[in-house]
Amino acid sequence: MNRIGTRGLILKEKLIFEHSDPGRKGYSLPALDVPPSTLPEELSRLEIEGFPEVSEVDVVRHFTRLSTWNYGVDTGFYPLGSCTMKYNPKVNEVVARLPGLAGCHPHTPERLSQGALGMMYDLQVALAELSGFDAVTLQPAAGAHGELAGMLMIRAWHEAQGSSRKKVLIPDTAHGTNPATAALCGYDVVPIASGDSGVLTAETVAAHMNEDVAALMITNPNTLGIYEADIRKICEIVHEGGGLVYCDGANFNAVMGIARPGDAGVDVMHFNLHKTFATPHGGGGPGSGPVGINKKLIPYLPKPVVVREGEKYRLDYDRLESIGRLRSFYGNFGIMLRAWAYILTMGGEGLKQVSEMAVLNANYIRARLEETYHLPYKNRSLHEAVFSDKNLGGGCHTLDLAKRLIDYGYHPPTVYFPLVVQGAIMIEPTETESMEVLDEFCDAMLAIAEEAENNPELLLEAPSVTALSRLDETAAARKPVLRYRAEA
Ligand SMILES: *Cc1c(COP(=O)(O)O)cnc(C)c1O
């Protein structure tokens, strides 16, 4: 692939050291007409061998080209299942950057930050209304952090009842953070099988429920993209047995404005503002994982709690049974602003339409691909479709397909998750993609399936358009080589 010239995106950029040409300078200024001052010795670094000598335009081009290597939702379709990589309207960014909001110091006295507190209060109310809960905390900084908040509240509630239940039931279709959270809170995780249909049945829950079970943690819609239709009955069974129900609400994008988990009997649920509520995310950047709870857990909310008294807002620290503080100040305020702007611009009907479109798009992809790609669970899916690599020919596997998609210009979908599907390919298009984009993506998926049959090395050797092809992903994380040395 050593083509002459440059065509479009330059994915074979050399290292800055390799651009070096001794004697080149990164500036052009007139000769000095004053005596030069010498740099103090302790400030000059002499130990960098082969320090690159490049011109200004070399530097600018080098780093600008590198910047185009970041694949993002602003560059193209990003069907990463479970992550809800939807397009984030720029108006949210404008709002979050308004100087009065962006520059608002968290130590500003309450009487001078009524607008900020009011926004947080209104966001809590809106999320509670959308989900059917009695109260919402905005403190957690991510979904998994919200799970921690929720499970700590559940534990505090059990302790207040004098119960020392030890177990948490978790179906095999739950997100991996769920068992991690339960274990972090000191619980023993009891995995339960969802069975051939991919949904948890009330009977299965009943068979596992006993006086040692503190809670059930359920992801709904689950990681197969299927709605847990028995949820109401499941909640009744857990409650009758003296436990509480935690719902992982990261997939709320599929049911917003349509179903309210609080109404179904769920006790606690986290939201991912950085998924459902159109906040940019990825790379471990700032997020927000608010938690909705029903009445009985209100005393345990993390503090401070934003409260409204008449026309005024204040932060309530005086909460004896609180699980305490989870985050410096009040959580990621900038993310809350983006989510609030999104909710206001969409409106109630708009949010409902978001979910309807997300489900329609996922089912469109499913319908176009299900004759070619193996679909292990046939139940109607909601916002994502999970295929397997069972039908992929030429000895190719999920990883090869994912790498080949890069050659077609797509970010690969989520692969090898959920674990209940061997060689899983989890596609979540979200509502923000047009039919043309979905069709192009499906065409690429179908073309790759054909390549696997007839020309499998195209997959096995993919990606071919990138600077490097297959990386040793484990060594890259465990033994990163961060320093360049010229070859001797
Ligand atoms: C993303 C996700 C989480 C974790 O959320 P983070 O914000 O990444 O901590 C939990 N459950 C599900 C189903 C998710 O998709």
Side-chain angles (χ1 to χ4, degrees):
M1 287 281 293
N2 268 331
R3 293 184 303 200
I4 295 167
T6 61
R7 299 171 211 197
L9 211 58
I10 298 167
L11 288 166
K12 299 221 184 244
E13 178 65 9
K14 291 192 274 186
L15 296 173
I16 190 82
F17 295 92
E18 294 166 326
H19 281 294
S20 181
D21 189 6
R24 278 204 188 155
K25 288 202 168 69
Y27 62 89
S28 58
L29 293 171
L32 278 182
D33 56 0
V34 291
S37 73
T38 44
L39 205 59
E41 210 164 294
E42 70 276 15
L43 293 183
S44 60
R45 297 178 63 188
L46 303 169
E47 75 281 13
I48 304 177
E49 304 154 38
F51 195 79
E53 294 178 66
V54 284
S55 69
E56 180 172 328
V57 70
D58 288 339
V59 174
V60 169
R61 286 194 182 143
H62 174 72
F63 287 105
T64 305
R65 285 171 185 159
L66 287 186
S67 76
T68 65
W69 290 16
N70 283 333
Y71 194 96
V73 79
D74 287 355
T75 352
F77 184 45
Y78 206 136
L80 197 65
S82 205
C83 294
T84 313
M85 303 302 286
K86 60 165 88 176
Y87 174 75
N88 311 294
K90 297 294 175 249
V91 65
N92 306 340
E93 297 302 311
V94 174
V95 169
R97 284 168 173 73
L98 289 174
L101 294 169
C104 182
H105 195 282
H107 276 317
T108 310
E110 283 170 19
R111 69 190 165 81
L112 298 177
S113 48
Q114 287 294 302
L117 293 176
M119 184 282 295
M120 290 167 70
Y121 185 85
D122 289 345
L123 177 58
Q124 288 176 181
V125 171
L127 293 175
E129 174 64 27
L130 274 167
S131 55
F133 289 104
D134 297 313
V136 168
T137 171
L138 303 175
Q139 256 192 45
H145 201 202
E147 290 175 34
L148 178 68
M151 289 308 285
L152 287 176
M153 286 189 265
I154 287 179
R155 199 176 74 181
W157 181 82
H158 276 297
E159 279 167 5
Q161 323 294 304
S163 117
S164 56
R165 295 177 176 230
K166 285 261 171 318
K167 295 192 168 136
V168 172
L169 306 179
I170 305 187
D172 51 10
T173 50
H175 194 261
T177 48
N178 298 182
T181 301
L184 197 67
C185 292
Y187 287 111
D188 296 331
V189 174
V190 182
I192 50 179
S194 53
D196 294 341
S197 62
V199 287
L200 190 61
T201 63
E203 294 74 51
T204 311
V205 176
H208 286 84
M209 199 56 214
N210 58 49
E211 64 278 10
D212 213 17
V213 173
L216 166 80
M217 280 185 100
I218 187 166
T219 303
N220 197 21
N222 66 28
T223 56
L224 291 165
I226 303 174
Y227 189 73
E228 294 286 359
D230 262 5
I231 185 74
R232 197 176 286 271
K233 190 92 216 320
I234 288 171
C235 289
E236 277 170 25
I237 292 167
V238 175
H239 289 153
E240 274 162 25
L244 297 182
V245 177
Y246 185 99
C247 175
D248 178 331
N251 294 335
F252 199 56
N253 208 48
V255 296
M256 191 165 41
I258 298 164
R260 304 201 316 164
D263 295 345
V266 167
D267 297 288
V268 196
M269 184 190 90
H270 80 260
F271 303 81
N272 290 56
L273 295 190
H274 49 287
K275 293 181 183 170
T276 316
F277 295 90
T279 287
H281 65 112
S288 180
V291 177
I293 54 167
N294 70 20
K295 269 197 194 67
K296 57 178 170 291
L297 295 171
I298 289 178
Y300 313 109
L301 278 173
K303 64 183 178 183
V305 175
V306 186
V307 291
R308 178 177 172 163
E309 281 160 2
E311 292 299 300
K312 294 247 185 317
Y313 303 94
R314 76 179 175 84
L315 292 166
D316 184 11
Y317 288 86
D318 192 18
R319 304 182 72 96
L320 291 177
E321 292 172 276
S322 165
I323 58 165
R325 184 191 269 292
L326 284 165
R327 179 72 174 72
S328 54
F329 302 112
Y330 329 110
N332 282 330
F333 182 68
I335 309 297
M336 297 170 203
L337 280 170
R338 289 169 173 86
W340 182 230
Y342 180 67
I343 290 173
L344 289 184
T345 49
M346 298 305 288
E349 272 308 304
L351 292 175
K352 182 176 176 204
Q353 209 188 354
V354 161
S355 289
E356 290 168 350
M357 291 296 295
V359 172
L360 180 65
N361 279 356
N363 280 285
Y364 183 75
I365 288 186
R366 173 183 153 134
R368 277 211 59 195
L369 299 183
E370 71 185 330
E371 275 170 26
T372 307
Y373 285 89
H374 173 240
L375 188 74
Y377 290 89
K378 310 285 184 231
N379 263 356
R380 261 274 152 263
S381 46
L382 292 187
H383 63 301
E384 52 201 1
V386 181
F387 297 94
S388 90
D389 61 2
K390 202 167 149 197
N391 295 350
L392 210 55
C396 299
H397 293 103
T398 294
L399 186 73
D400 309 310
L401 159 78
K403 297 295 185 194
R404 185 64 179 150
L405 273 169
I406 298 173
D407 287 341
Y408 279 83
Y410 293 107
H411 192 287
T414 294
V415 292
Y416 300 104
F417 177 81
L419 301 177
V420 278
V421 174
Q422 218 192 341
I425 303 158
M426 185 194 211
I427 301 172
E428 179 180 12
T430 84
E431 72 285 359
T432 54
E433 299 304 333
S434 66
M435 195 159 152
E436 290 75 26
V437 171
L438 302 183
D439 273 331
E440 277 168 9
F441 173 75
C442 290
D443 291 346
M445 287 287 289
L446 296 174
I448 293 171
E450 226 175 276
E451 288 172 352
E453 288 297 334
N454 305 322
N455 222 342
E457 38 322 323
L458 287 175
L459 278 77
L460 299 168
E461 285 159 22
S464 62
V465 300
T466 51
L468 297 171
S469 189
R470 299 278 173 116
L471 303 175
D472 180 338
E473 288 165 16
T474 313
R478 300 229 167 118
K479 290 185 191 154
V481 179
L482 300 176
R483 186 157 172 210
Y484 169 81
R485 270 182 214 291
E487 276 169 39

